[in-house]
Amino acid sequence: MTELTAPQGVDADYYRVGTPVADTKAPAGPIAEKWTKRKFDASLVNPANRRKLSVIIVGTGLAGGAAGATLGEAGYHVKSFCFQDSPRRAHSIAAQGGINAAKNYKEDGDSIYRLFYDTVKGGDYRARETNVYRLAEVSANIIDQCVAQGVPFAREYGGLLDNRSFGGVQVSRTFYARGQTGQQLLIGAYQALERQVAAGTVEMFTRHEMLELIVADGRARGIIARDLVTGEIETHLADAVVLASGGYGNVFFLSTNAMGSNVTANWRAHRKGAYFGNPCYTQIHPTCIPVSGDHQSKLTLMSESLRNDGRIWVPKRKEDCDKDPRQIPEADRDYYLERIYPAFGNLVPRDIASRQAKNMCDEGRGVGPMVGDFRRGVYLDFSDAISRLGRSAVEAKYGNLFDMYARITGENPYETPMRIYPAVHYTMGGLWVDYDLMSNIPGLFVTGEANFSDHGANRLGASALMQGLADGYFVLPNTIRDYLAKGPYPKLDENSPAVAEARQSVDQRVRTLLSINGERSVDSFHKELGHIMWEYCGMERTETGLMKAIDLIRSLRAEFWRNVRVLGSAETLNQSLEKAGRVADFLELGELMCIDALHRRESCGGHFRAESQTEDGEALRHDDQFCYVAAWEFGGNGEGGMGAPVLHKEDLTYEFIQLKQRSYK
């Protein structure tokens, strides 16, 4: 039984404190030797025994697709699930700018250690050192793997792979395929996965959504899934379960995520006991097409790679904001990132670039049409690059991105500067995992954006694809075998108590959602939740605002279960029912995100508390109080709502990198 204590002050009303948590899987010794030692120490499974072992993988993006292909090729029996009609439609396909790897092709001082350092610093010293070093170590292998698969990375004239820079670094380590890097990498993983489908080692379940995790005798043993076409509720059992289901940015309603992206797989596991790590760490991407009105259902990302050659500015004077930007002379332009951060300029990390864009607009120097009370936009200008390189060179590097911008906005970015503004993009938080990528529930592994482990409080650009493929191709296959070597685990059937309980909970939830028959649509609840989250748990957070948000979310959640209208039936295709289940989970997650942000009285990376900033407005950490991972345990269902969540702290120790205040100036 976990001993719980109440925190002091305001926090006592929102959560309890449990016992500390620690990662016990990373070996001792020099950091450069840890991964080699762990791979050697992990138990092996001989090929004949692999055929007797089964693994469920939820998600077919880069992390899930790569894991399915690799485990299938190793000889395990894999069941792969996605809610799209094809693995090719996983949201990884939307990534644009590139993938990082410490190859040092430019001979500009890059190395495994520098990628490690840049990632820890970029995450504002809130990531676990061991996991980050391993990510940097295997990064070079990813490029070799993908080239062997035929991924068409951009190449220099001589045939060598090309690189460009991304935010938060001063070297060129980002490999890319124009603005379609995610698509090309996903096709590589997809063809590898389909090869195993054809070989019979991977069984593919498209248009299926995980609705519950089966935990038997303390181990993850399967999932309950709904066939989204027929409505049938299905039970799937295995020796281990892998969640590779992506992030939860759609809790904000408006984000760069695909409309279907959700938190349900992770949240169902959280409710079954899996700790949720650092849920308040969400990333606001600085380079998105601005909001244009209330009619929008999502936002569009413009790749961070544009910041290599594009210059970001706003007018120096408010009265110039209405002018055609081409009529504003150079002397009247404020290239504010170059002014404030001369060492990194337009390539500062995303959290810093986003906050400064917000600051410019808050000062009344935003550009573009009025949306609400002020203009939400800054210029991303390629006129210098076109003059220096020529239009054809810019088209070769960024042409498809420029075309996309022109189609969406009706403006020609070769002639008029793009307008951009920050938007919710990525979530650094996720289910807590150890060095083996296993959650605190034995047998439940979590990979890619679905876990918390590699990015701290802010992810550097081009590192999401790196982590997804690192986890799927190289890390998970070497760590899950240590767990599977102890199997096969005792057989379960659909009449087993744990299976029956999970199935019953899904049936009851579906019946409840369909029986409420209220007056409000699911989307109306989602939009209202998104507004609350953006206003009070977005780019800037305050104690007063977060407490208000928690109260508003609790009231909204109570109304949802009293007044939501879900049309149709459970026995057929029903997208209204799909959305309702996902929004119900977002309503619970939103409260936990605000509680996490409230308890962390410091600013770090994407989490900016207005009460904790330096004299010049930069994020101010408090390492003496908050140098830990916040791993949250579900508090149960209390009277009138959720019970108070339980905070388990994993202390972060820095042996190989010195803790210091971030500076990009």
Side-chain angles (χ1 to χ4, degrees):
M1 185 75 176
T2 301
E3 182 180 344
L4 304 177
T5 59
Q8 300 298 311
V10 170
D11 291 3
D13 297 329
Y14 296 102
Y15 68 91
R16 298 167 291 167
V17 178
T19 52
V21 65
D23 169 33
T24 59
K25 299 288 181 62
I31 197 165
E33 299 175 8
K34 289 179 184 290
W35 179 227
T36 299
K37 188 172 189 305
R38 180 61 189 135
K39 286 188 291 184
F40 179 79
D41 290 343
S43 300
L44 298 175
V45 183
N46 81 57
N49 286 342
R50 293 175 205 161
R51 294 192 291 271
K52 305 173 186 177
L53 294 162
S54 57
V55 180
I56 285 172
I57 301 178
V58 181
T60 59
L62 291 183
T70 308
L71 293 176
E73 188 166 12
Y76 299 102
H77 178 63
V78 177
K79 286 187 172 183
S80 180
F81 292 81
C82 68
F83 63 75
Q84 300 91 346
D85 59 356
S86 166
R88 291 193 309 273
R89 295 188 185 273
H91 188 54
S92 298
I93 202 170
Q96 298 170 346
I99 176 171
N100 289 329
K103 285 283 201 180
N104 195 29
Y105 280 179
K106 296 290 188 181
E107 292 291 340
D108 55 1
D110 200 12
S111 63
I112 290 172
Y113 192 89
R114 189 172 297 280
L115 176 53
F116 162 55
Y117 173 80
D118 286 344
T119 304
V120 172
K121 177 184 175 183
D124 217 350
Y125 302 91
R126 289 294 177 262
R128 188 191 287 155
E129 273 191 330
T130 52
N131 289 64
V132 177
Y133 190 91
R134 177 177 62 191
L135 176 63
E137 184 179 346
V138 304
S139 65
N141 297 340
I142 299 170
I143 304 304
D144 298 338
Q145 168 92 1
C146 294
V147 169
Q149 290 175 334
V151 173
F153 287 118
R155 293 178 181 269
E156 296 179 329
Y157 179 76
L160 297 177
L161 297 184
D162 196 13
N163 293 129
R164 56 191 178 197
S165 294
F166 259 60
V169 305
Q170 292 176 307
V171 298
S172 294
R173 65 162 67 103
T174 303
F175 296 77
Y176 65 98
R178 297 189 77 195
Q180 305 167 340
T181 314
Q183 180 185 37
Q184 299 302 329
L185 293 173
L186 184 63
I187 290 172
Y190 168 72
Q191 67 185 16
L193 180 66
E194 288 300 307
R195 180 172 177 268
Q196 296 309 312
V197 171
T201 62
V202 175
E203 192 176 358
M204 191 71 234
F205 295 85
T206 59
R207 300 303 302 274
H208 280 68
E209 182 167 30
M210 171 184 161
L211 296 181
E212 188 60 278
L213 178 71
I214 297 170
V215 179
D217 297 323
R219 300 180 184 274
R221 295 300 311 276
I223 65 171
I224 306 295
R226 181 173 184 267
D227 184 319
L228 298 179
V229 177
T230 68
E232 182 180 356
I233 304 297
E234 301 174 358
T235 300
H236 296 272
L237 302 172
D239 294 294
V241 177
V242 179
L243 300 186
S245 48
Y248 49 88
N250 274 356
V251 68
F252 290 87
F253 186 72
L254 283 180
S255 81
T256 66
N257 288 194
M259 290 292 290
S261 298
N262 62 80
V263 75
T264 290
N266 267 12
W267 197 254
R268 296 291 99 196
H270 175 60
R271 289 179 63 99
K272 278 295 182 74
Y275 295 166
F276 210 114
N278 299 332
C280 80
Y281 288 166
T282 54
Q283 181 165 84
I284 313 296
H285 197 295
T287 316
C288 301
I289 296 178
V291 175
S292 58
D294 293 336
H295 63 283
Q296 285 179 274
S297 57
K298 77 176 300 294
L299 297 173
T300 302
L301 172 70
M302 299 304 297
S303 170
E304 183 176 311
S305 64
L306 295 170
R307 291 200 274 151
N308 272 274
D309 291 303
R311 300 180 70 193
I312 296 171
W313 63 276
V314 293
K316 289 182 177 179
R317 299 178 306 197
K318 296 179 182 179
E319 52 267 31
D320 287 344
C321 292
D322 277 330
K323 290 183 178 179
D324 184 322
R326 293 168 294 185
Q327 304 304 315
I328 301 175
E330 191 76 10
D332 293 335
R333 300 179 178 188
D334 181 8
Y335 295 92
Y336 57 89
L337 292 178
E338 298 172 33
R339 170 174 56 83
I340 302 172
Y341 308 100
F344 282 74
N346 294 300
L347 288 175
V348 292
R350 291 174 175 178
D351 59 311
I352 291 175
S354 294
R355 279 199 300 276
Q356 290 298 348
K358 178 181 184 295
N359 290 342
M360 297 303 112
C361 294
D362 288 350
E363 290 177 11
R365 294 194 286 145
V367 299
M370 295 288 289
V371 179
D373 297 332
F374 61 97
R375 303 177 195 277
R376 294 178 170 89
V378 300
Y379 289 126
L380 178 60
D381 193 340
F382 273 80
S383 57
D384 279 3
I386 292 172
S387 298
R388 185 178 74 255
L389 303 172
R391 174 166 171 163
S392 60
V394 172
E395 285 180 340
K397 294 174 73 173
Y398 308 112
N400 61 310
L401 296 170
F402 277 48
D403 292 345
M404 182 173 69
Y405 181 88
R407 285 197 299 271
I408 291 172
T409 65
E411 300 171 4
N412 185 343
Y414 293 104
E415 298 176 359
T416 305
M418 292 182 184
R419 286 180 293 106
I420 57 169
Y421 192 71
V424 172
H425 178 55
Y426 186 90
T427 52
M428 286 74 68
L431 293 187
W432 183 90
V433 292
D434 62 18
Y435 191 66
D436 282 0
L437 303 184
M438 188 165 73
S439 74
N440 59 296
I441 298 177
L444 178 65
F445 293 79
V446 192
T447 62
E449 191 178 356
N451 74 35
F452 88 99
S453 66
D454 290 11
H455 305 296
N458 174 63
R459 176 177 66 79
L460 292 182
S463 287
L465 305 186
M466 176 176 62
Q467 187 204 353
L469 291 180
D471 285 357
Y473 282 137
F474 300 108
V475 179
L476 180 75
N478 280 297
T479 58
I480 197 172
R481 60 182 168 85
D482 189 60
Y483 179 81
L484 292 174
K486 302 174 181 65
Y489 293 93
K491 293 294 182 183
L492 294 177
D493 60 42
E494 296 195 17
N495 297 317
S496 301
V499 179
E501 182 274 330
R503 173 95 181 214
Q504 182 180 6
S505 69
V506 170
D507 288 337
Q508 179 60 45
R509 182 177 169 88
V510 169
R511 286 197 300 270
T512 299
L513 287 169
L514 289 168
S515 68
I516 296 170
N517 198 28
E519 298 178 350
R520 288 188 60 179
S521 69
V522 174
D523 278 347
S524 73
F525 283 100
H526 196 180
K527 285 183 179 180
E528 186 171 343
L529 172 64
H531 177 76
I532 295 168
M533 295 300 296
W534 179 253
E535 290 298 317
Y536 302 111
C537 198
M539 275 193 280
E540 184 172 301
R541 296 119 184 232
T542 66
E543 180 177 289
T544 302
L546 289 165
M547 289 191 293
K548 181 177 181 179
I550 293 167
D551 289 341
L552 289 172
I553 292 169
R554 288 174 175 174
S555 297
L556 185 64
R557 187 169 64 245
E559 185 185 356
F560 175 90
W561 288 106
R562 183 179 67 250
N563 196 31
V564 72
R565 180 176 69 252
V566 182
L567 304 176
S569 73
E571 286 73 39
T572 185
L573 175 71
N574 188 340
Q575 291 185 319
S576 180
L577 179 60
E578 292 173 37
K579 288 182 181 179
R582 296 166 187 171
V583 172
D585 291 331
F586 279 141
L587 285 163
E588 295 185 357
L589 167 68
E591 179 179 333
L592 182 62
M593 289 172 66
C594 292
I595 291 173
D596 187 33
L598 178 65
H599 108 277
R600 190 171 285 276
R601 290 177 170 82
E602 67 166 353
S603 293
C604 54
H607 168 63
F608 190 80
R609 282 289 294 267
E611 304 93 338
S612 183
Q613 54 185 301
T614 63
E615 290 183 359
D616 52 356
E618 302 293 346
L620 179 62
R621 297 195 321 269
H622 298 296
D623 295 333
D624 57 331
Q625 302 174 59
F626 296 104
C627 194
Y628 59 77
V629 175
W632 294 93
E633 178 185 351
F634 184 64
N637 293 309
E639 185 175 345
M642 295 191 301
V646 180
L647 172 62
H648 301 273
K649 300 177 182 179
E650 178 198 342
D651 289 335
L652 292 170
T653 56
Y654 289 91
E655 298 179 66
F656 306 98
I657 289 180
Q658 180 185 355
L659 269 172
K660 56 185 177 182
Q661 192 67 29
R662 271 196 321 176
S663 175
Y664 292 93
K665 295 184 175 181

